[in-house]
Amino acid sequence: MQINRTASAHWTGGLKDGKGLISTQSGALKDYPYGFASRFEGIAGTNPEELIGAAHAGCFTMALSLILGEAGFTAEHMETSAKVTLESVEGGFAITAIHLSLSGRIPGADEATFTELANKAKAGCPVSKALASVPITLDVKIA
């Protein structure tokens, strides 16, 4: 089975004065603005790192739901945030770290079990695999 998803970016202008628009196949983002200011100066709009974080948090949490089910657990709720670090390094900028923070209520699972299963999901989710060149850390807490 092969699934293909698409997204696109449109850009006009130079790096600092330019403006971009990002769209996704699903329409979740349609001509959503991004640019230098939203990436480096905290101005409204999105940026690639934020989108990577959203994708990673979503993929990881879905993978964990599967792994929990295989272990006989069902999440009452889970919340995952992803902190994607972009840094200036030799040769330009690079994503140097991703930190996942997970909180959840899993009836019947203690924190050690939840952490073990979460680490399995971190290693196995497709987005984690795609980002394997970046150190990925995880902290877990029972809510």
Side-chain angles (χ1 to χ4, degrees):
M1 176 171 98
Q2 181 181 35
I3 299 170
N4 296 299
R5 302 287 186 234
T6 61
S8 62
H10 173 80
W11 187 267
T12 56
L15 174 62
K16 288 192 175 183
D17 67 341
K19 301 216 182 306
L21 300 171
I22 291 178
S23 297
T24 58
Q25 175 183 344
S26 69
L29 296 174
K30 177 140 180 65
D31 295 333
Y32 200 85
Y34 80 106
F36 184 89
S38 65
R39 191 171 194 185
F40 296 104
E41 298 172 353
I43 304 300
T46 192
N47 57 74
E49 294 73 34
E50 175 181 77
L51 297 171
I52 288 169
H56 199 182
C59 182
F60 163 77
T61 308
M62 286 181 73
L64 180 52
S65 180
L66 169 68
I67 290 167
L68 286 168
E70 291 172 346
F73 301 106
T74 301
E76 188 175 299
H77 69 83
M78 293 186 287
E79 298 287 333
T80 304
S81 65
K83 177 179 159 186
V84 178
T85 302
L86 178 70
E87 291 185 287
S88 178
V89 298
E90 186 177 323
F93 280 86
I95 293 173
T96 58
I98 299 171
H99 182 73
L100 300 171
S101 293
L102 168 68
S103 173
R105 180 165 310 187
I106 315 300
D110 60 20
E111 194 157 347
T113 301
F114 189 34
T115 299
E116 176 187 338
L117 298 174
N119 277 301
K120 187 176 177 183
K122 178 179 75 88
C125 104
V127 173
S128 288
K129 290 177 183 179
L131 300 171
S133 67
V134 177
I136 300 169
T137 57
L138 170 66
D139 67 65
V140 178
K141 70 177 185 177
I142 294 284

